[in-house]
Amino acid sequence: MAAPAPLSPLAPKFYAELPPIDGVRLAAGAAGIRYQGRTDVVLAVFDKPAAVAGVFTTSRCPSAPVDWCRDNLEGGTARALVVNSGNANAFTGKVGREATELTAKLAAKAVGADESEIFLASTGVIGEPLDARKFEGVLERLAADARADAWIDAARAIMTTDTFPKVATAKAMIDGVEVTINGIAKGAGMIAPDMATMLAYVFTDAAISSEALQKLLSRGVKDSFNSLTVDSDTSTSDTLMLFATGAAEARGQRKVKKARDEDLEDFAEKLDALLVDLAQQVARDGEGARHFIEVQVTGADSDKAAKRIAFSIANSPLVKTAVAGEDANWGRVVMAVGKAGEKADRDRLSIWFNGIRVAHNGLRDPDYDEAAVTTEMKKDTIVIRADLDIGDGAATVWTCDLTKEYVAINGDYRS
Amino acid sequence: MAAPAPLSPLAPKFYAELPPIDGVRLAAGAAGIRYQGRTDVVLAVFDKPAAVAGVFTTSRCPSAPVDWCRDNLEGGTARALVVNSGNANAFTGKVGREATELTAKLAAKAVGADESEIFLASTGVIGEPLDARKFEGVLERLAADARADAWIDAARAIMTTDTFPKVATAKAMIDGVEVTINGIAKGAGMIAPDMATMLAYVFTDAAISSEALQKLLSRGVKDSFNSLTVDSDTSTSDTLMLFATGAAEARGQRKVKKARDEDLEDFAEKLDALLVDLAQQVARDGEGARHFIEVQVTGADSDKAAKRIAFSIANSPLVKTAVAGEDANWGRVVMAVGKAGEKADRDRLSIWFNGIRVAHNGLRDPDYDEAAVTTEMKKDTIVIRADLDIGDGAATVWTCDLTKEYVAINGDYRS
């Protein structure tokens, strides 16, 4: 196994401190799935059934835990969440399904719940059978040890090729009562040698029905995790879940049943911002990343067209290597706009790097200051904006640059 | 400007020697567009009007020469072709259109033809104005110097980041008369620092109408150049053209007017094979390539689905870095199948590397010999086969691995 990569130069200077959330307790432990000398399994316990919502990978070859969660989501309530790192339990056939069943059985026993209220995720190597017997004893101990303040421990235990734990927190008002939202995430490449995947879990003490939660989450994912790409590769295991314990009801919050309820306005706003924060942290920890890239597309034929063009730019190896080389190579941005397949008029296109317009109306901008652009390209964050000047469609997506380190991390050179 | 990259380890051991083709003469010269000490412009002269067909980039932001060729193709005949390297004349607005007009005017004068019978291409940097005045005098000299045996010179003059010239030749029988087909191509990355693009020109002395030629070419491109990817980035300038001088008519070949004419069967077959040969050479010269990759998808829902899945595998940075690392990482192939968005059943999927089955029916193949696979992965050519076992759809595409050298070539590191 390769040595852990050094901390991303784009890592946050400090990690947010996540406050307790009534009704959730967490613990991280070591089950020895693959890694030695580190934690690799997290148990989140909901003392009372929590409302739950989830969004999963669009892969046609999803992992066994993704199938499991999709099935259990119909019940609408959760009593525990188990996440392990080191093995993705993906492409493991019948053995994989049996491993999810055993894990759920062990977790259900540990927390005194039904298996249909247990949610699972696995991240790590694909195609290796996951030996769920290793969770035996471990999950019971974690259930006993679970604490309200173990957020950073949980965020660390689910890391694979991540170089830093990803956490975020927010407060929101519902019906005059303050509620808390905490989130943890992991992800670095979509799939990686000791493998990666995108997992994110958000918890709140708000009292919201699972139907309303699902709508909020499905809406919020669009401009956050679904506006994110590291290497255009989609994991078999991507999972985003939202749990609401409802503990705020005891503090006087009326339980909200409909997503369109006006009382959810502030909560939805804070949730969306927290999802964006977590998604951006994943891009900042992209394998080998040295620059965080925000791609803004404006003036496209529609929002959908804008997003497709933005992803065409964000996924282009040539745009990403140019940013790695700190080269404001707008010709490659033109290329990426052109190949997106959406309506574009090359003679109306304008392009900016960090606010400096380098191309305008189909030509190099005669006024731009090369030295100023060179200085901007050395910064951690590069904002590439492309305006098509043909409509009102707009979209923003995030990614990172493509460096030799990405190839080294994923190439596992044997020579 | 970066030093030229060393010869690709996948370069052919020798170059095919291209015989003369009656009715075509070529010459290469130095116009000093960007490169010093090398040729950078090619003129092909057709002594009598040749039938012509073309297929161009799907980019919505095509270069000025692409627009020019599309317009002139309607006339159906060619008297000359001018290709320059060093500057793509793309995203150059009105100035770019003027440059194509001037180039065509100079070429028309040099060969004594009408501008509507001149075809053009430019490959190199995007967004820099092309100073077509540099062709003044040069094209006239080339017209005077043009010879029947300058094929390799022509193939060299159109190179950008290519490390070797790409040539191919074939003989075919039409109506009992032997005809010759010669092709030259260039391409390494879709766009690159001293920039690349895919250009290919095929010439024959066969007597075939331009309508029939166009049908043959549009059909042949599907399983050759449109089954090729280096980095998923589509150039603004990609051009494939086919010229038929008709000189074989003097040797008794009846001119063929319809693509479905049975007399074209052998020609079409040889043409298709030559296009595949040239396309594979482009993949072998992919920027930084150390392995040539053939992706075969079988058992898909349809041929279209198979091709989409094959490109999903061939464009996956994680699959490509795994091959660079000589790692038979079939988990990443599963991932790429899953993300393609086409019908797939993970529990029916099987995967082979160079004929060794590593995964079967949704599981690691219990019988595969790790040592044998390791030996295979060191070879120059890696054939990845994925069988979906749900239908009859099949497709084959070619690419190369993704190495640190690709990032270095395109990153133009300034640090």
Side-chain angles (χ1 to χ4, degrees):
Chain A
M1 205 173 341
L7 183 68
S8 165
L10 310 172
K13 300 293 170 264
F14 59 91
Y15 304 121
E17 205 160 305
L18 274 51
I21 287 187
D22 290 346
V24 194
R25 292 177 300 119
L26 302 105
I33 296 299
R34 180 178 164 94
Y35 304 117
Q36 301 304 322
R38 56 158 279 190
T39 54
D40 63 358
V41 57
V42 167
L43 178 73
V45 187
F46 305 100
D47 297 321
K48 292 177 185 165
V52 58
V55 176
F56 303 93
T57 180
T58 55
S59 174
R60 301 297 179 103
C61 299
S63 67
V66 165
D67 282 350
W68 176 273
C69 288
R70 280 198 173 112
D71 286 348
N72 276 1
L73 211 53
E74 286 168 28
T77 57
R79 288 294 308 281
L81 164 72
V82 181
V83 185
N84 76 271
S85 58
N87 184 312
N89 193 17
F91 210 55
T92 43
K94 192 164 158 276
V95 186
R97 286 187 289 278
E98 287 166 3
T100 57
E101 282 159 20
L102 179 56
T103 310
K105 199 174 151 185
L106 293 168
K109 195 172 154 228
V111 304
D114 192 84
E115 288 159 34
S116 66
E117 296 175 303
I118 308 297
F119 291 83
L120 305 172
S122 294
T123 175
V125 183
I126 281 188
E128 299 272 356
L130 170 67
D131 184 1
R133 288 170 305 178
K134 291 192 172 173
F135 298 130
E136 210 152 3
V138 175
L139 294 181
E140 285 188 355
R141 209 160 54 242
L142 294 183
D145 290 352
R147 304 186 324 261
D149 62 354
W151 297 100
I152 194 87
D153 301 340
R156 282 190 199 281
I158 62 174
M159 285 165 58
T160 53
T161 52
D162 304 61
T163 74
F164 62 85
K166 292 152 195 80
V167 292
T169 186
K171 298 281 183 191
M173 297 298 289
I174 304 180
D175 184 30
V177 175
E178 190 183 69
V179 300
T180 302
I181 313 172
N182 284 352
I184 64 172
K186 63 90 43 180
M190 289 301 109
I191 313 231
D194 306 337
M195 292 200 180
T197 249
M198 205 292 297
L199 298 181
Y201 297 98
V202 181
F203 304 84
T204 179
D205 53 349
I208 303 175
S209 73
S210 54
E211 292 76 15
L213 274 187
Q214 186 62 51
K215 281 190 183 149
L216 292 178
L217 193 65
S218 299
R219 214 159 62 193
V221 76
K222 196 173 146 279
D223 292 326
S224 58
F225 287 103
N226 284 348
S227 294
L228 168 71
T229 179
V230 167
D231 49 17
S232 80
D233 278 340
T234 306
S235 160
T236 54
S237 311
D238 289 336
T239 297
L240 165 63
M241 297 194 79
L242 172 56
F243 301 94
T245 66
E249 215 171 353
R251 300 200 307 275
Q253 188 224 304
R254 173 184 63 82
K255 182 169 177 175
V256 185
K257 300 219 168 121
K258 299 280 182 197
R260 63 172 182 271
D261 194 313
E262 280 183 10
D263 271 352
L264 279 184
E265 215 167 279
D266 186 51
F267 180 87
E269 202 176 288
K270 301 295 165 54
L271 172 67
D272 289 353
L274 183 137
L275 294 174
V276 167
D277 183 352
L278 288 174
Q280 291 190 350
Q281 288 188 51
V282 172
R284 285 176 185 283
D285 205 11
E287 286 166 346
R290 301 197 304 178
H291 294 85
F292 171 73
I293 305 175
E294 174 165 308
V295 178
Q296 303 173 348
V297 173
T298 54
D301 202 28
S302 66
D303 287 352
K304 205 177 152 193
K307 195 156 186 176
R308 210 171 147 202
I309 292 167
F311 269 127
S312 178
I313 298 169
N315 280 326
S316 159
L318 290 170
V319 171
K320 293 159 80 98
T321 48
V323 174
E326 303 183 343
D327 175 16
N329 195 320
W330 57 269
R332 297 186 186 174
V333 179
V334 178
M335 175 282 299
V337 170
K339 78 167 178 167
E342 295 291 344
K343 212 176 134 188
D345 177 345
R346 86 191 154 207
D347 296 336
R348 300 177 76 91
L349 190 59
S350 297
I351 295 165
W352 291 255
F353 282 86
N354 279 6
I356 302 176
R357 195 174 69 189
V358 292
H360 185 51
N361 287 345
L363 277 176
R364 165 201 293 277
D365 191 321
D367 298 327
Y368 93 82
D369 178 354
E370 184 92 42
V373 176
T374 301
T375 303
E376 285 301 321
M377 296 305 291
K378 293 189 190 307
K379 294 189 175 165
D380 280 354
T381 296
I382 303 297
V383 178
I384 301 174
R385 182 178 158 212
D387 183 74
L388 280 84
D389 193 26
I390 56 169
D392 294 323
T396 297
V397 310
W398 305 285
T399 189
C400 57
D401 54 354
L402 171 57
T403 65
K404 289 181 189 171
E405 289 70 33
Y406 176 89
V407 179
I409 292 167
N410 290 296
D412 184 31
Y413 286 103
R414 294 179 176 187
S415 58
Chain B
M1 207 172 345
L7 184 68
S8 166
L10 310 172
K13 300 292 170 263
F14 59 91
Y15 303 121
E17 204 159 307
L18 274 52
I21 287 188
D22 289 344
V24 193
R25 291 177 301 119
L26 302 104
I33 296 300
R34 181 179 163 92
Y35 305 116
Q36 300 303 323
R38 57 159 279 192
T39 54
D40 62 358
V41 57
V42 168
L43 178 73
V45 186
F46 305 101
D47 296 321
K48 291 176 185 166
V52 57
V55 176
F56 302 93
T57 180
T58 56
S59 173
R60 300 298 178 102
C61 299
S63 66
V66 165
D67 281 350
W68 176 272
C69 288
R70 280 198 174 112
D71 286 348
N72 276 0
L73 212 52
E74 286 167 29
T77 56
R79 286 294 309 280
L81 164 72
V82 182
V83 185
N84 76 272
S85 58
N87 184 313
N89 194 16
F91 210 55
T92 42
K94 193 166 158 275
V95 186
R97 286 187 290 278
E98 286 165 3
T100 56
E101 282 159 22
L102 178 56
T103 310
K105 198 174 152 185
L106 293 170
K109 196 174 151 223
V111 305
D114 192 85
E115 288 160 35
S116 67
E117 297 175 302
I118 308 297
F119 290 83
L120 305 173
S122 295
T123 174
V125 184
I126 280 187
E128 299 272 356
L130 170 67
D131 185 1
R133 288 170 305 177
K134 290 191 173 172
F135 297 131
E136 208 151 3
V138 176
L139 295 182
E140 286 189 354
R141 209 160 53 240
L142 295 183
D145 290 352
R147 304 187 323 261
D149 64 353
W151 298 99
I152 194 87
D153 301 341
R156 282 191 197 281
I158 63 174
M159 286 165 57
T160 53
T161 53
D162 303 61
T163 75
F164 62 85
K166 293 154 193 80
V167 293
T169 185
K171 298 279 182 192
M173 297 299 288
I174 303 180
D175 184 30
V177 176
E178 189 182 70
V179 300
T180 303
I181 314 173
N182 283 353
I184 64 172
K186 61 91 43 179
M190 288 300 108
I191 312 231
D194 305 340
M195 295 199 175
T197 248
M198 204 292 297
L199 299 181
Y201 296 97
V202 182
F203 304 83
T204 180
D205 53 349
I208 304 175
S209 74
S210 55
E211 292 75 16
L213 275 187
Q214 185 63 50
K215 281 190 183 147
L216 293 177
L217 192 66
S218 299
R219 212 159 64 195
V221 75
K222 195 171 147 280
D223 292 327
S224 58
F225 287 103
N226 285 348
S227 293
L228 168 72
T229 179
V230 167
D231 50 17
S232 81
D233 279 339
T234 306
S235 159
T236 53
S237 311
D238 289 337
T239 297
L240 166 63
M241 297 193 80
L242 172 56
F243 301 93
T245 66
E249 214 171 352
R251 301 199 308 274
Q253 188 223 306
R254 173 185 61 83
K255 181 168 179 176
V256 186
K257 301 220 167 120
K258 299 278 180 199
R260 63 172 184 271
D261 193 314
E262 279 184 11
D263 270 350
L264 279 185
E265 214 167 281
D266 185 53
F267 180 87
E269 202 176 288
K270 300 295 166 52
L271 173 68
D272 288 354
L274 182 137
L275 294 174
V276 167
D277 183 350
L278 288 174
Q280 290 189 351
Q281 288 189 53
V282 171
R284 285 178 185 281
D285 204 11
E287 287 167 345
R290 300 198 305 180
H291 295 85
F292 170 73
I293 305 175
E294 174 164 308
V295 178
Q296 302 173 347
V297 172
T298 55
D301 201 29
S302 66
D303 287 351
K304 204 177 152 192
K307 194 154 187 178
R308 208 171 147 202
I309 292 166
F311 269 125
S312 179
I313 297 169
N315 279 325
S316 160
L318 290 169
V319 171
K320 292 159 82 95
T321 49
V323 174
E326 302 183 346
D327 176 15
N329 195 320
W330 57 270
R332 297 185 186 176
V333 179
V334 178
M335 175 281 300
V337 171
K339 78 165 179 167
E342 295 291 343
K343 211 175 136 187
D345 178 346
R346 86 191 153 207
D347 296 337
R348 300 177 77 92
L349 191 59
S350 296
I351 295 164
W352 291 255
F353 281 87
N354 279 6
I356 302 176
R357 196 174 67 188
V358 292
H360 186 50
N361 288 346
L363 275 176
R364 165 199 294 276
D365 191 320
D367 298 327
Y368 94 81
D369 179 352
E370 182 92 43
V373 176
T374 302
T375 303
E376 285 301 323
M377 296 305 290
K378 293 189 191 303
K379 294 190 174 164
D380 279 354
T381 296
I382 303 297
V383 179
I384 301 174
R385 181 178 160 212
D387 183 73
L388 279 82
D389 193 26
I390 55 170
D392 294 323
T396 296
V397 309
W398 306 285
T399 189
C400 57
D401 54 353
L402 172 57
T403 65
K404 289 182 191 173
E405 289 71 32
Y406 177 88
V407 179
I409 292 168
N410 290 297
D412 183 32
Y413 285 103
R414 295 180 176 188
S415 58

